[in-house]
Amino acid sequence: MYDQPRANPSRAAMTFDQMLERVRYEGAYPTRERAEEAVRTVLAALGRQITGDERVDLAQCLPVEAALALTAQIPDTEQLTGWGFVKEMAARAGTTPAIARWDTGAVLAVVTRLAGPDLIARILHQLPGGYALLFGQAELRQPQPAA
């Protein structure tokens, strides 16, 4: 039997230190420690939202330390909207929604580059509305009318 190519081969071509430096640059954080705090907080929150193959494939794209932060979380039974994600992350981190949104943008900009457009599209398809903007993408979904 031949090995079948995966749709999203592992691209963890970035070390955790390189990832932290990219996030530090994207978020204009004063220290590496602050960037690491943002990475761990955002990836833990994201780990509570995504499941299945998308979760596994995303973990494979990340440096080991970042993948562990993502996969150490048990997925929530109810998915949050993008805004709910930011508010919940702010409450857990004891910060404001504005800071949580800033952290999310800085971290997910780097995650998007590591994961690639195909995997990000699959992840966004799995999540409720509002996440595309967090990943630096256009929100292409049409809002569903209330029942």
Side-chain angles (χ1 to χ4, degrees):
M1 180 108 194
Y2 298 104
D3 287 335
Q4 297 296 318
R6 293 185 56 103
N8 285 297
S10 178
R11 294 185 209 163
M14 186 180 285
T15 67
F16 190 61
D17 287 335
Q18 291 169 328
M19 181 181 190
L20 293 180
E21 285 306 312
R22 283 302 317 158
V23 170
R24 183 176 177 192
Y25 176 80
E26 291 287 336
Y29 296 116
T31 64
R32 181 185 182 278
E33 290 75 21
R34 178 63 185 95
E36 184 172 355
E37 177 185 332
V39 167
R40 292 188 186 282
T41 300
V42 171
L43 290 178
L46 188 61
R48 290 188 291 275
Q49 297 300 307
I50 61 173
T51 60
D53 289 341
E54 289 76 19
R55 179 183 174 101
V56 172
D57 290 346
L58 180 58
Q60 289 178 338
C61 294
L62 300 174
V64 173
E65 299 89 335
L68 290 173
L70 176 83
T71 58
Q73 303 302 309
I74 297 171
D76 288 340
T77 56
E78 184 176 325
Q79 287 184 318
L80 301 170
T81 64
W83 176 236
F85 173 83
V86 170
K87 290 191 310 186
E88 191 258 351
M89 194 174 72
R92 283 182 185 254
T95 189
T96 66
I99 291 172
R101 173 61 181 95
W102 184 269
D103 291 349
T104 301
V107 173
L108 294 184
V110 176
V111 168
T112 297
R113 279 190 228 114
L114 287 170
D118 293 340
L119 178 54
I120 295 302
R122 288 177 32 222
I123 290 170
L124 291 175
H125 183 72
Q126 181 188 90
L127 294 170
Y131 281 88
L133 293 174
L134 299 177
F135 280 91
Q137 309 286 315
E139 183 71 55
L140 301 176
R141 292 185 182 185
Q142 295 296 325
Q144 299 299 320

